[in-house]
Amino acid sequence: MTDQPIERQLSKKEKKYVDLARRISYQSDYAHRHGAVLVKGANIINVSCNKNKFSSFATRFTKKEKEFVTVHAELGSILNVERKHTEGATVYVVRVNNQNELRLSKPCKMCEEAMRWVGIKKVVYSTSEGTFEEMKL
């Protein structure tokens, strides 16, 4: 069972990951721009933004039949990454609106299950209040 999200202060290093996720989000051509950074130890393993592109990998984590599942930023950050790099890692996710303000980027159930499946230990995500919360998987 997933722990309840907790609001938290970011360390100096985590602020760099969040800033990178924010910059990556601007590459998205989707209406809701999300950026994600996969980190293990002090190493950035992968980055991704959300894309309006089908993801067959993600379909196994959704209950809706015949749903067109797109590549969410979190999914993109773990796709094609070896498990030795995802096991015990952290994903930082940021969503921004057109005014460059932070918005809620809590992972959906599909992304949560996919990250759990590849061994991600926690997710740090932005909120609409400009803070960050942590979800342990």
Side-chain angles (χ1 to χ4, degrees):
M1 190 69 159
T2 305
D3 293 340
Q4 290 294 325
I6 56 169
E7 187 176 327
R8 58 182 296 234
Q9 296 295 315
L10 300 176
S11 69
K12 189 175 183 179
K13 190 176 288 189
E14 288 179 311
K15 287 178 184 177
K16 290 180 182 181
Y17 302 144
V18 164
D19 182 55
L20 177 57
R22 183 181 216 146
R23 286 183 281 139
I24 294 297
S25 73
Y26 294 116
Q27 295 176 9
S28 175
D29 57 0
Y30 213 59
H32 302 289
R33 296 179 308 191
H34 291 262
V37 177
L38 173 64
V39 176
K40 185 162 183 182
N43 298 312
I44 295 172
I45 306 300
N46 201 12
V47 299
S48 184
C49 64
N50 54 328
K51 302 172 182 95
N52 192 15
K53 180 179 173 185
F54 179 72
S55 172
S56 60
F57 171 75
T59 59
R60 67 180 84 175
F61 301 104
T62 185
K63 304 266 189 262
K64 298 176 185 175
E65 291 184 27
K66 299 180 183 177
E67 180 179 16
F68 185 81
V69 180
T70 60
V71 177
H72 294 189
E74 306 93 301
L75 284 175
S77 73
I78 63 174
L79 285 173
N80 299 316
V81 176
E82 293 182 45
R83 188 169 183 99
K84 68 180 180 180
H85 298 300
T86 59
E87 186 77 44
T90 300
V91 175
Y92 295 86
V93 189
V94 172
R95 175 180 166 203
V96 294
N97 66 9
N98 290 334
Q99 290 74 41
N100 194 30
E101 299 166 327
L102 291 175
R103 290 294 175 244
L104 183 63
S105 62
K106 183 178 180 179
C108 67
K109 288 294 183 188
M110 176 187 70
C111 289
E112 188 179 328
E113 290 303 315
M115 288 187 290
R116 184 176 286 117
W117 192 73
V118 300
I120 300 298
K121 72 174 179 180
K122 69 180 173 180
V123 181
V124 177
Y125 59 90
S126 62
T127 69
S128 295
E129 290 78 34
T131 60
F132 289 86
E133 291 186 352
E134 177 181 304
M135 173 193 307
K136 294 186 181 190
L137 301 178

